[in-house]
């Protein structure tokens, strides 16, 4: 993870410079604003980080959007996310995964087209990496690549690994897809919502900027040595208000708002307080229910956002954006499980997120660079909506 820090700083300063040059080109005068689609830029930045750190691949997305692999991923993500709105096809595909393959609609055909591009380009990437490793071996050297793909290929070709435990190139390709899907837009959404909330709550933004500027180095970030960057990041990582702002955003707007699990055996889930059960047509079926029976095979919707917003645990102000709450959490919250800060944003248990540390480095470094240099305000012309549990943001 240490090796990630200089790369993330490089990308954060690149994004800062790109925004500055856009404003210069648009002739924006000091104090004037300029409309920027933060969501799209944040996504391009996290693609760049994942490309370099994950696969030693330069999407170069902050500079241009023409890369064909980048286009395939972004278009595929957009389509996949638009499908999340539900509908009978989505539900059917959940129970019969082959359905989409047997009876593809336009969306499935489009995703298949993107997948073909990914298979071709990422497949070439895997072959090139293997060739570099073989070349190094021929010279009696060890290939030094530190990206995820190199480490994966190295451990996969290790002589100690029994052949039946080696993973195929096809599975490695699937892993690249998983990392691109799980590790880019999640972090960029977290970054975007943080900047959005800062725009909505200028007092919080000003207080955060003051904290960030207090640790700005006296020379430019570009002139820092690797050791100085590491030491700057260690300082940023410990900034209390930045930490609170990030935790509060991740609590209030988790980028993954819900998940699904399947019960592998019959189970009983106790209710924290008795509830009334209604049938699908809204008529009352049972009063004073104290537990939920879960038969094996049931699909369970895990409401991450609901867990993070529970007023019974977090207090009446649970739906408010209040970074200071992290200085004095209710006892009930402290007792909650979760990989991160008693919230379910990164899930929990054996299949919890493995990218928590990577996304923390990205969020802290990018927010440091951007908030110390720019002031964010809500767009007057573009309405930004929020679905799921909350539709509005409440002032504390
Ligand atoms: C703010 C950023 C992120 C959030 C909110 C987030 C959230 C999550 C959640 C909720 C899950 C569980 C999904 C489920 O089981 O239904 C998950 C899994 C996963 N995440 Fe993240 N993630 C983030 C960043 C990252 C990053 C940067 C990486 C890349 C290293 C990553 C890699 C993964 C992987 C590989 C899994 C699957 C783990 C498994 O099934 O064993 N995530 N993430």
């Amino acid at each position: 993870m240490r090796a990630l820090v200089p790369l993330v700083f490089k990308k954060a300063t690149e994004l800062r410079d790109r925004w500055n040059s856009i404003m210069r080109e648009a002739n924006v005068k000091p104090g004037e604003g300029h409309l920027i689609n933060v969501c799209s830029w944040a996504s391009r930045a996290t693609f760049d980080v994942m490309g370099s750190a994950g696969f030693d691949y330069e999407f170069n997305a902050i500079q241009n959007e023409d890369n064909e692999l980048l286009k395939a991923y972004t278009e595929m993500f957009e389509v996949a996310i638009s499908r999340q709105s539900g509908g009978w096809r989505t539900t059917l595909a959940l129970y019969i995964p082959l359905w989409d393959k047997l009876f593809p609609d336009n969306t499935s055909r489009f995703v298949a087209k993107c997948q073909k591009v990914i298979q071709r380009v990422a497949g070439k990437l895997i072959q090139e990496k293997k060739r570099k490793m073989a070349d190094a071996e021929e010279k009696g050297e060890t290939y030094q690549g530190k990206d995820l793909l190199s480490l994966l290929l190295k451990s996969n070709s290790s002589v100690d690994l029994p052949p039946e435990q080696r993973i195929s190139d096809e599975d490695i390709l699937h892993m690249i897809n998983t990392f691109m899907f799980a590790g880019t837009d999640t972090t960029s959404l977290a970054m975007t919502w943080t900047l959005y909330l800062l725009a909505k709550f200028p007092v919080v933004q000003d207080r955060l900027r003051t904290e960030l500027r207090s640790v700005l180095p006296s020379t430019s970030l570009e002139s820092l040595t690797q050791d100085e960057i590491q030491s700057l990041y260690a300082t940023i990582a410990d900034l209390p208000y930045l930490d609170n702002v990030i935790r509060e955003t991740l609590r209030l707007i988790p980028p993954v708002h819900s998940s699904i699990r399947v019960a592998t055996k019959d189970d009983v889930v106790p209710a924290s307080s008795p509830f009334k059960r209604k049938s699908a047509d809204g008529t009352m079926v049972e009063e004073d229910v104290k537990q939920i029976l879960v038969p094996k095979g049931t699909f369970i919707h895990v409401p991450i956002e609901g867990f993070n917003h529970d007023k019974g645990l977090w207090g009446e102000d649970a739906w408010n954006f209040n970074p200071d709450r992290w200085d004095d959490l209710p006892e009930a919250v402290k007792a909650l499980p979760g990989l991160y800060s008693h919230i379910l944003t990164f899930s929990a248990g054996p299949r919890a997120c493995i990218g928590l540390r990577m996304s923390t480095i990205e969020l802290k470094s990018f927010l440091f660079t951007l908030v110390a240099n720019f002031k964010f305000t809500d767009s007057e012309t573009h309405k930004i909506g929020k679905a799921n549990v909350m539709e509005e943001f409440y002032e504390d």
Side-chain angles (χ1 to χ4, degrees), residues 57-319:
Y57 179 83
E58 287 301 328
F59 282 110
N60 220 3
I62 294 179
Q63 298 308 333
N64 66 65
E65 285 182 290
D66 294 339
N67 181 299
E68 78 173 321
L69 189 57
L70 176 73
K71 272 193 188 156
Y73 274 122
T74 39
E75 286 172 3
M76 193 173 71
F77 286 4
E78 272 163 29
V79 169
I81 283 168
S82 67
R83 261 278 185 98
Q84 279 185 348
S85 51
W88 66 269
R89 279 197 78 96
T90 315
T91 315
L92 203 65
L94 205 61
Y95 287 91
I96 314 169
L98 264 180
W99 179 265
D100 260 353
K101 280 215 167 97
L102 295 174
F103 307 103
D105 63 352
N106 282 344
T107 310
S108 331
R109 273 191 284 272
F110 183 77
V111 170
K113 202 180 92 192
C114 295
Q115 281 288 357
K116 258 201 186 134
V117 175
I118 293 169
Q119 269 165 20
R120 177 169 49 78
V121 184
K124 220 166 86 188
L125 215 68
I126 297 173
Q127 296 316 320
E128 266 173 29
K129 254 295 141 222
K130 283 186 166 174
R131 190 181 42 75
K132 280 185 192 166
M133 285 166 61
D135 286 352
E137 204 177 334
E138 254 175 43
K139 289 185 205 143
E141 296 164 3
T142 314
Y143 179 62
Q144 292 302 325
K146 291 275 179 285
D147 56 284
L148 209 73
L149 180 60
S150 300
L151 299 177
L152 200 66
L153 289 172
K154 257 192 251 176
S155 67
N156 203 35
S157 62
S158 152
V159 282
D160 318 329
L161 196 69
E164 68 279 7
Q165 283 182 21
R166 290 182 206 277
I167 42 178
S168 63
D169 281 3
E170 196 189 345
D171 280 343
I172 290 179
L173 201 103
H174 290 152
M175 282 188 190
I176 295 183
N177 273 346
T178 303
F179 276 92
M180 287 309 297
F181 200 75
T184 57
D185 273 1
T186 41
T187 308
S188 66
L189 278 176
M191 209 187 300
T192 306
W193 282 116
T194 311
L195 293 172
Y196 178 72
L197 286 170
L198 292 176
K200 283 272 178 201
F201 297 87
V203 175
V204 176
Q205 186 179 161
D206 288 346
R207 187 171 150 196
L208 178 64
R209 185 172 299 104
T210 306
E211 182 184 77
L212 300 177
R213 285 192 174 161
S214 74
V215 298
L216 260 184
S218 50
T219 53
S220 70
L221 290 178
E222 293 85 334
S223 67
L224 300 182
T225 63
Q226 301 274 311
D227 281 349
E228 284 166 340
I229 289 179
Q230 294 292 354
S231 133
L232 174 63
Y233 180 71
T235 309
I236 294 168
D238 279 345
L239 291 175
Y241 199 57
L242 175 63
D243 202 53
N244 283 2
V245 167
I246 291 175
R247 280 177 208 270
E248 182 65 349
T249 308
L250 289 170
R251 181 190 73 83
L252 205 57
I253 317 178
V256 181
H257 58 77
S258 63
S259 180
I260 290 183
R261 292 288 186 269
V262 183
T264 52
K265 57 181 173 76
D266 292 347
D267 210 345
V268 176
V269 179
S272 54
S273 53
F275 63 96
K276 295 173 186 169
R277 186 162 29 219
K278 287 183 179 172
S279 62
D281 64 5
T283 49
M284 189 67 68
V285 177
E286 212 180 336
E287 301 247 7
D288 204 26
V289 185
K290 295 194 180 69
Q291 57 182 28
I292 305 162
L293 301 177
V294 183
K296 179 179 172 182
T298 308
F299 280 91
I300 315 274
H301 173 245
V302 184
I304 294 177
E305 206 171 28
F307 184 91
N308 290 359
H309 295 173
D310 189 338
K311 290 186 177 173
L313 296 163
W314 291 87
E316 269 312 300
D317 73 339
W319 290 24

Side-chain angles (χ1 to χ4, degrees), residues 307-351:
F307 184 91
N308 290 359
H309 295 173
D310 189 338
K311 290 186 177 173
L313 296 163
W314 291 87
E316 269 312 300
D317 73 339
W319 290 24
N320 295 10
F321 177 63
N322 173 18
D324 286 328
R325 79 171 70 246
W326 292 92
D327 291 332
D328 186 19
L329 288 180
E331 286 307 313
V333 167
K334 288 188 194 156
L336 293 174
L339 179 68
Y340 173 79
S341 299
H342 326 284
I343 55 179
L344 215 50
T345 302
F346 292 91
S347 189
R351 302 309 297 261

